Amino acid sequence: MAKYRHGLPLTKGGRFLTDGGMETTLIFHEGIDLPHFASFVLLVTPEGRRKLKEYYVRYLDIARSAGTGFVLDTATWRANPDWAAKLGYDGDALRGVNEEAVALLVQLRDEYERPGAPIIINGAMGPRGDGYKAGTMDAEEAEAYHRPQVETFAATDADMISAITLTNIDEAIGVARAARTAAIPCVIGFTVETDGRIVTGRTIQEAIEAVDAATGAYPVFYMVNCAHPTHFEDALDENSTWIKRLGGIRANASAKSHQELDESETLDAGDPIDFGRRYQDLVRRMPQLRLLGGCCGTDHRHIGAICAACMPQPAMSA
């Protein structure tokens, strides 16, 4: 049974950390081959699961040292039917890796969770297509497409789900509706371009308000992710009403555009210290932000910098 699904700590105040760019870290820092950027392939072997545990532990150690809560994401951003089919996974195998991804995190929570610092297990979902391009599904089709993965997570110990790097409002509506039907909390993360708008040209405000209107404001909150803070800082009006629905930031390390990142053969890790300072400014402007983490190009250094800049420091013992 899910530990926090019906009393999600993210809704009760405090600020939580999460991890960085899983796929870019594993590929560029660990030298692991992830076909189609799919980290879920590591779940099928003991060695792969060991690599994932090592990845997670770096972040859990940061959270433990700071005495802060943590949101553990499953390695399932690509674990939906279209991407899985490219890797030879049928429906049963796909359901199995989503379940195994949650089971791995339950083991880690049992080992690392401490009183006052809850660890939330989050079923991570990605778009049907490319996270840098607009999808073509309407909301009804998106709900049907994502429903199996949502229902799989709902039948596990996952406390919530997050759909990240979404570029299309209709796809976000579909995921949120599927989550509502399955009675599992959800967070929606939109990817923006260098102008602070999603790839379809809609503003973050328009995207959030449209999803809320179509789903009865079902998402717990929204995030901006997979873009550098300089791309969206000016699009966030801290004095507006809609901004209160923005609860998380998972930014890229690099200030390059998505096209430039796609064409790059090396990893641009940016400046972790500057990254943390930019998060500090965002938190100062928008104190409702409760989940802070990274996306492409970020690793434990960036999350450590965020933690140092944005999290209350633990009291020193006498």
Side-chain angles (χ1 to χ4, degrees):
M1 179 178 294
K3 186 172 184 177
Y4 295 119
R5 188 178 302 175
H6 302 293
L8 201 61
L10 281 166
T11 66
K12 298 179 180 181
R15 192 165 290 128
F16 289 70
L17 291 174
T18 189
D19 65 319
M22 177 182 291
E23 290 78 14
T24 52
T25 295
L26 293 172
I27 292 170
F28 290 98
H29 292 313
E30 302 295 332
I32 298 172
D33 180 31
L34 297 181
H36 298 293
F37 245 51
S39 53
F40 73 82
V41 299
L42 298 178
L43 292 161
V44 301
T45 67
E47 175 64 14
R49 290 192 294 275
R50 183 181 68 80
K51 288 290 187 182
L52 284 172
K53 284 183 178 180
E54 291 174 352
Y55 168 83
Y56 288 121
V57 164
R58 296 188 191 106
Y59 298 100
L60 289 167
D61 283 342
I62 293 170
R64 176 185 281 182
S65 295
T68 191
F70 196 86
V71 175
L72 269 175
D73 276 11
T74 55
T76 52
W77 178 64
R78 285 293 204 212
N80 62 43
D82 285 19
W83 291 104
K86 297 176 186 292
L87 296 165
Y89 285 74
D90 62 17
D92 289 341
L94 185 56
R95 182 170 57 255
V97 294
N98 279 290
E99 292 170 344
E100 175 61 31
V102 173
L104 178 68
L105 301 192
V106 170
Q107 296 173 15
L108 285 167
R109 177 165 66 186
D110 289 344
E111 182 177 352
Y112 278 87
E113 190 171 53
R114 296 293 183 269
I119 294 177
I120 300 167
I121 295 177
N122 176 53
M125 301 173 58
R128 181 175 188 172
D130 192 306
Y132 292 163
K133 298 177 182 177
T136 58
M137 293 185 292
D138 61 25
E140 184 176 357
E141 184 182 359
E143 181 179 359
Y145 180 81
H146 289 290
R147 183 182 297 121
Q149 190 176 21
V150 171
E151 290 179 343
T152 296
F153 285 134
T156 69
D157 288 329
D159 298 305
M160 58 181 285
I161 65 166
S162 291
I164 59 176
T165 66
L166 298 188
T167 60
N168 184 288
I169 292 172
D170 284 336
E171 188 165 18
I173 291 170
V175 172
R177 285 176 173 170
R180 182 176 60 186
T181 299
I184 186 169
C186 81
V187 167
I188 298 293
F190 286 108
T191 294
V192 298
E193 301 299 307
T194 56
D195 61 359
R197 294 171 178 257
I198 63 176
V199 71
T200 59
R202 305 289 292 277
T203 65
I204 304 170
Q205 176 181 355
E206 289 173 325
I208 290 174
E209 291 179 342
V211 177
D212 268 355
T215 65
Y218 185 77
V220 178
F221 59 80
Y222 295 84
M223 295 191 297
V224 177
N225 80 293
C226 208
H228 192 265
T230 56
H231 299 167
F232 56 80
E233 288 167 335
D234 293 340
L236 305 179
D237 177 7
E238 61 266 30
N239 297 314
S240 62
T241 299
W242 69 269
I243 202 70
K244 305 305 180 186
R245 294 288 283 139
L246 186 69
I249 301 290
R250 299 195 63 167
N252 282 354
S254 173
K256 292 180 179 178
S257 69
H258 291 147
Q259 181 177 350
E260 289 172 323
L261 291 175
D262 258 350
E263 295 172 352
S264 178
E265 295 183 359
T266 59
L267 185 68
D268 180 3
D271 180 348
I273 301 303
D274 176 72
F275 195 75
R277 289 171 180 160
R278 291 185 181 278
Y279 271 66
Q280 185 179 49
D281 182 61
L282 289 167
V283 168
R284 178 190 59 78
R285 291 172 51 197
M286 293 168 286
Q288 82 278 4
L289 292 174
R290 65 197 78 170
L291 181 61
L292 305 177
C295 202
C296 296
T298 61
D299 54 45
H300 62 285
R301 296 171 298 169
H302 301 78
I303 304 306
I306 292 171
C307 184
C310 302
M311 298 299 181
Q313 298 303 303
M316 298 294 291
S317 59

